[in-house]
Amino acid sequence: DSGFDLQHGDFRGKVVSPYDISTGSSRLRTGIPMETHGTPCASIALANADASGLIGVAPKAHFIPVQKPSFAANDLKKMIQHCVNSGADIISASWGTIDPNFHLNDYKKSIIKWAATKGRNGKGCIILFAAGNEGVNKINNFALMPEVIAIGATDSNDEHPSYSNTGRELSVCAPSDGDIPVLAAKASWDKSKSLKDYINGPSSFGHYKAFGGTSAATPLVAGVCALILSVNPELYAWEVKEIIQNTADKVGDHKDYINGHSLIFGYGRINALKAVKEAQRRRDLSKRKTTNKTNPVKPIKIKNQIELNPPVIENGNWIIQLGVFSKQKSAERFSKELIKKHSIRILVDAVKGQE
């Protein structure tokens, strides 16, 4: 983005490896009136929880500000490489274009795909792009790839604000403005004023401002992605996207959803609690599978008639395999009794020569 006020209290102790693409320097240019966008975006994702101002979605996350991106392939490469080489887990981009003159050619796609598959030591960086605020049925060119999480907006009533772009590539939506604006950090040189600033009361003057659009929705989802990784850092980037989409709430008209997806809301409005719980569930399931592999249980033999193999977990269900050395009719009769008594599923498979 551009316009990062790194002296803002919400970023105290957070900044790691800042980089200005246009100058190649770690010193970011400040004070440019038209460049203030990055400050509110970053604050939504990760503002400190120190009672000095806002609290971001992921207040313990660190912050790698990369300034002055552009639609040029070389600048995209510089941005992505700096993020990956600096150890970024998540890349949040509240910028882009729907102009066909700046479509994603194969080279640009390869840069994004490299980060989404090779970043985070091979687990892939989670990459988010705003869908755009043109109010059209077309998604930001940089958000069209399957490796990207494309973010639209909802308002505080879970309704679709007219500015938020729509389309089949839309992943999810997140709360932004449309009726009540979002409160976000304000760069010290940002002299803009809006009547919406007064909604948040006098305490917001000076250091904070009314903010919105898919620019606000995108870092909000980025913050949720950070929460997901905080409980399960072993997840691959595609798994994080899957979790975000699968746990989203279906808002709006349910008739708009086809196979779980809506052109207006994507897979729905994000649900941070559900997403984090799903990440925890996958972590715990992975631990149990690892335990089963590292501590194998020897088969149990009972009177040389029944062989009980170690239980395994498949798709969240316990599976126990028994070898019953008996006539098939006797085994089927025994199975029916177990089904009736315990309401379980049993598959009887006769072994050749033992019918």
Side-chain angles (χ1 to χ4, degrees):
D1 215 310
S2 59
F4 294 110
D5 184 356
L6 302 186
Q7 301 307 310
H8 197 289
D10 285 348
F11 304 138
R12 189 177 296 112
K14 286 184 165 291
V15 179
V16 177
S17 191
Y19 179 61
D20 190 314
I21 294 174
S22 60
T23 64
S25 170
S26 61
R27 187 169 183 173
L28 307 188
R29 293 177 299 166
T30 60
I32 302 173
M34 296 301 292
E35 295 182 3
T36 62
H37 192 256
T39 299
C41 286
S43 70
I44 292 171
L46 45 71
N48 275 316
D50 58 4
S52 67
L54 293 179
I55 299 177
V57 179
K60 292 186 178 181
H62 287 90
F63 175 31
I64 303 175
V66 181
Q67 184 152 287
K68 286 298 273 188
S70 77
F71 306 149
N74 193 44
D75 281 355
L76 179 66
K77 181 180 179 180
K78 289 179 181 179
M79 180 193 82
I80 294 291
Q81 282 187 336
H82 180 78
C83 290
V84 173
N85 294 339
S86 300
D89 296 305
I90 300 159
I91 300 173
S92 178
S94 291
W95 55 269
T97 179
I98 60 172
D99 189 335
N101 292 317
F102 298 103
H103 70 283
L104 254 63
N105 56 31
D106 289 342
Y107 181 61
K108 290 180 181 178
K109 290 179 180 178
S110 70
I111 295 169
I112 293 174
K113 189 169 184 177
W114 173 76
T117 55
K118 303 301 181 183
R120 293 177 58 233
N121 296 317
K123 292 182 175 65
C125 294
I126 295 91
I127 303 174
L128 307 92
F129 270 94
N133 302 322
E134 290 83 2
V136 296
N137 185 33
K138 186 175 177 61
I139 301 296
N140 174 8
N141 294 343
F142 290 85
L144 297 177
M145 295 182 61
E147 291 83 6
V148 172
I149 304 176
I151 310 299
T154 56
D155 63 18
S156 60
N157 293 313
D158 273 342
E159 295 179 354
H160 175 252
S162 60
Y163 62 79
S164 184
N165 291 356
T166 60
R168 61 184 179 84
E169 299 89 358
L170 190 64
S171 299
V172 290
C173 290
S176 187
D177 66 340
D179 47 0
I180 299 175
V182 177
L183 183 64
K186 183 177 184 178
S188 60
W189 61 90
D190 184 351
K191 305 304 179 184
S192 64
K193 292 183 179 180
S194 167
L195 289 175
K196 291 183 177 181
D197 291 338
Y198 291 87
I199 293 175
N200 297 304
S203 63
S204 68
F205 296 165
H207 298 293
Y208 299 94
K209 65 184 291 185
F211 195 57
T214 57
S215 289
T218 303
L220 198 157
V221 181
V224 175
C225 291
L227 296 180
I228 288 172
L229 291 181
S230 73
V231 298
N232 192 349
E234 299 304 314
L235 290 168
Y236 285 85
W238 65 267
E239 291 181 289
V240 174
K241 180 177 181 178
E242 183 180 76
I243 288 172
I244 287 287
Q245 293 181 163
N246 290 352
T247 59
D249 292 333
K250 305 299 185 195
V251 297
D253 191 342
H254 284 213
K255 294 179 182 177
D256 291 334
Y257 290 86
I258 299 175
N259 295 325
H261 184 269
S262 161
L263 296 177
I264 301 171
F265 299 102
Y267 286 93
R269 190 252 304 124
I270 59 160
N271 187 315
L273 180 59
K274 287 182 181 178
V276 171
K277 283 186 174 181
E278 173 59 15
Q280 289 176 318
R281 187 193 70 80
R282 295 190 184 201
R283 177 199 64 194
D284 295 342
L285 180 60
S286 178
K287 284 182 178 179
R288 287 198 295 269
K289 286 183 176 179
T290 302
T291 301
N292 287 338
K293 288 180 180 178
T294 56
N295 300 296
V297 181
K298 294 182 179 180
I300 303 170
K301 291 186 178 182
I302 306 175
K303 295 182 180 179
N304 297 320
Q305 293 179 328
I306 298 178
E307 184 179 282
L308 175 63
N309 288 330
V312 295
I313 304 172
E314 186 174 293
N315 297 326
N317 299 311
W318 286 93
I319 297 177
I320 300 177
Q321 185 182 51
L322 297 96
V324 181
F325 300 98
S326 177
K327 296 293 184 182
Q328 184 172 352
K329 289 184 179 180
S330 299
E332 288 175 347
R333 185 167 59 251
F334 179 57
S335 298
K336 288 179 181 179
E337 291 177 2
L338 289 176
I339 292 170
K340 184 178 180 180
K341 185 176 181 179
H342 299 288
S343 299
I344 58 176
R345 294 179 60 190
I346 295 178
L347 176 64
V348 178
D349 189 12
V351 179
K352 187 175 181 181
Q354 298 293 327
E355 294 86 350

